């Protein structure tokens, strides 16, 4: 039996994608303009975020390479045979399937698309050394050029369709937050509270976005010492009266990340804890006021640093004050050029979507120990920013007795 190295199979009809064909075409037009400006014959995407951004297909790697090849006239996803027709159905454009029968078939499939490309754009911030060396061997006559920074900048300004989807994510994050709040009681395990929030969000996504891929939504619900890190996993710890709590919901609609994060207390907080919490809320509210077009990320950071320094709390700040939204999750994607940190001088502009999320963490053994964090999502407009997070924050709302 002669088995192919790669093949095409249009198995079924195209599935509804998160965005319109016109939206994907607009993204490709912008990319091809960059390709023409940089004299690129093709761009070879390997990351989950960029393949999804330009084609709509979000792959599940399981150790296999995937790709999306964009040329002046084609957009082709390259997928493993284990997925068969699903990448075709969920791709804007063409699809080529490579087989496992012979090593190197992934590269042979890409060669069939790029043909005589002399200059190929790749993602240096995603491609590992092994794949890079294989590409050098398979394309000895081609020059490889990094496009990761330029593509990230393109993704940082959201379209109207993207912002509409992000708004939905913010709404569903709030919905999950309400389910979590209702599940909090003394003696309940973190995992039980987290499952209540996750189930509520997935059911709402299934109801309001029935054509989307239902996967990857999650909750981090942390208590006591487990609140010290923003990304600490859920445990089986049982809630105790007096605990500081951290509510974090992350609904994923077709690879688009949104988040809600809130500090709560089970029972009345002590005086020191209340003071820390109120200081973090003050920074949160001031940060929301600062987000507007024309301000640098570093300028927002500097002002909030000064606010914490005045209260002798700056040493307890654990990370930057916010970040961009879009195609990302806890295991893929990041628009690092739009983070509210000291070393980022990106100027906010209309169409950007950023969080405001100050966090203070005091270690065990100190009065007020624990992690305090509030998180809202803001859409930057022409004159200011709109806060699309509606779940209330602060001591007047989130002390549970």
């Amino acid at each position: 039996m002669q088995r192919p190295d790669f093949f095409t199979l249009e198995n079924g009809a195209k599935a509804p994608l998160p965005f319109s064909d016109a939206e994907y075409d607009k993204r490709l037009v912008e990319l091809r303009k960059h390709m023409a400006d940089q004299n690129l014959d093709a761009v070879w995407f390997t990351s989950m975020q960029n393949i999804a951004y330009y084609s709509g297909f979000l792959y599940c790697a399981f150790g296999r390479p995937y790709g999306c090849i964009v040329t002046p006239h084609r957009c082709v996803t390259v997928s493993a045979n284990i997925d068969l027709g699903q990448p075709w159905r969920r791709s804007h454009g063409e699809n080529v399937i490579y087989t496992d029968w012979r090593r190197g078939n992934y590269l042979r499939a890409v060669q069939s698309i790029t043909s005589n490309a002399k200059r190929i754009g790749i993602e240096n911030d995603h491609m590992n050394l092994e794949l890079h060396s294989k590409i050098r061997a398979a394309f000895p006559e081609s020059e490889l050029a990094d496009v990761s920074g330029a593509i990230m900048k393109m993704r940082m300004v959201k379209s109207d369709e993207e912002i509409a989807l992000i708004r939905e994510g913010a709404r569903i994050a709030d919905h999950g937050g309400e389910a979590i709040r209702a599940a909090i009681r003394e003696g309940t395990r973190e995992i039980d509270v987290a499952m209540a929030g996750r189930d509520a969000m997935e059911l709402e996504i299934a109801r309001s976005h029935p054509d989307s891929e239902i996967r990857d939504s999650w909750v981090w619900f942390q208590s006591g010492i487990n609140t010290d890190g923003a990304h600490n996993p859920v445990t089986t710890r049982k809630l105790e009266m007096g605990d500081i709590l951290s509510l974090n919901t992350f609904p994923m609609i077709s690879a688009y990340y949104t988040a809600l994060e809130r500090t709560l207390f089970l029972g009345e907080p002590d005086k020191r804890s209340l003071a820390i919490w109120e200081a973090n809320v003050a920074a949160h509210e001031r940060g929301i006021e600062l987000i507007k077009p024309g301000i640098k990320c570093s300028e927002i950071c500097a002002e909030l640093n000064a606010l914490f320094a005045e209260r002798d709390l700056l040493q307890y700040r654990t990370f930057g004050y916010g970040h961009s939204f879009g195609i990302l999750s806890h295991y893929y994607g990041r628009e690092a050029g739009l983070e509210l940190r000291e070393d980022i001088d990106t100027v906010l502009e209309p169409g950007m979507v950023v969080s405001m999320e100050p966090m203070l963490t005091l270690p065990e053994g100190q009065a007020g120990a624990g992690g305090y964090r509030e998180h809202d999502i803001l859409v930057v407009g022409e004159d200011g920013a709109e806060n699309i997070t509606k779940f209330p924050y602060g001591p007047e709302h989130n002390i549970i007795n």
Side-chain angles (χ1 to χ4, degrees), residues 117-192:
K118 298 299 182 185
R119 185 169 159 83
I120 301 174
I122 62 170
E123 300 176 75
N124 277 359
D125 64 349
H126 177 267
M127 189 172 290
N128 60 40
L129 290 174
E130 180 183 12
L131 182 56
H132 192 273
S133 65
K134 288 180 178 179
I135 290 173
R136 292 286 348 125
F139 295 84
E141 303 300 322
S142 299
E143 178 187 356
L144 303 180
D146 180 37
V147 297
S148 56
I151 300 302
M152 177 187 66
K153 290 179 181 177
M154 293 180 197
R155 296 201 320 267
M156 288 195 309
V157 177
K158 312 303 173 188
S159 68
D160 289 344
E161 289 191 27
E162 285 182 286
I163 291 172
L165 188 63
I166 292 169
R167 286 181 186 278
E168 270 293 277
R171 178 185 68 81
I172 293 169
D174 289 346
H175 181 76
E178 294 292 349
I180 287 173
R181 199 181 192 286
I184 294 171
R185 59 183 55 87
E186 185 179 10
T188 303
R189 300 178 302 173
E190 288 181 5
I191 181 62
D192 298 312

Side-chain angles (χ1 to χ4, degrees), residues 262-263 273-291 300-301 303-313 321 356-360 372-376 393-396:
R262 289 290 184 260
T263 298
S273 297
L274 184 60
I276 301 298
W277 192 5
E278 290 174 338
N280 202 60
V281 165
H284 182 62
E285 292 177 336
R286 180 57 182 143
I288 290 171
E289 293 172 352
L290 290 169
I291 293 175
I300 295 172
C301 184
E303 180 152 347
L304 297 183
N305 278 349
L307 187 152
F308 278 145
E310 290 173 2
R311 293 164 169 77
D312 193 27
L313 293 172
Y321 291 103
M356 173 47 56
E357 51 175 312
M359 180 173 181
L360 296 172
Y372 303 75
R373 186 169 72 261
E374 314 295 344
H375 176 297
D376 287 18
Y393 60 81
E396 61 271 33

Side-chain angles (χ1 to χ4, degrees), residues 7 14 19 59 83 104 109 129 184 244 255 273 286 305 381 397:
F7 62 98
K14 289 284 193 181
F19 304 108
Y59 66 75
D83 296 322
L129 290 174
I184 294 171
I244 184 173
S273 297
R286 180 57 182 143
N305 278 349
H397 301 288

Side-chain angles (χ1 to χ4, degrees), residues 86-145:
Q86 192 259 2
W88 150 254
R89 294 191 297 274
R90 289 199 171 272
S91 290
H92 174 77
E94 305 170 59
N95 172 250
V96 171
I97 301 167
Y98 74 91
T99 65
D100 289 344
W101 320 140
R102 188 160 67 118
R103 286 195 179 276
N105 281 349
Y106 170 70
L107 294 171
R108 293 183 186 96
V110 174
Q111 285 173 323
S112 74
I113 302 163
T114 56
S115 59
N116 298 317
K118 298 299 182 185
R119 185 169 159 83
I120 301 174
I122 62 170
E123 300 176 75
N124 277 359
D125 64 349
H126 177 267
M127 189 172 290
N128 60 40
L129 290 174
E130 180 183 12
L131 182 56
H132 192 273
S133 65
K134 288 180 178 179
I135 290 173
R136 292 286 348 125
F139 295 84
E141 303 300 322
S142 299
E143 178 187 356
L144 303 180

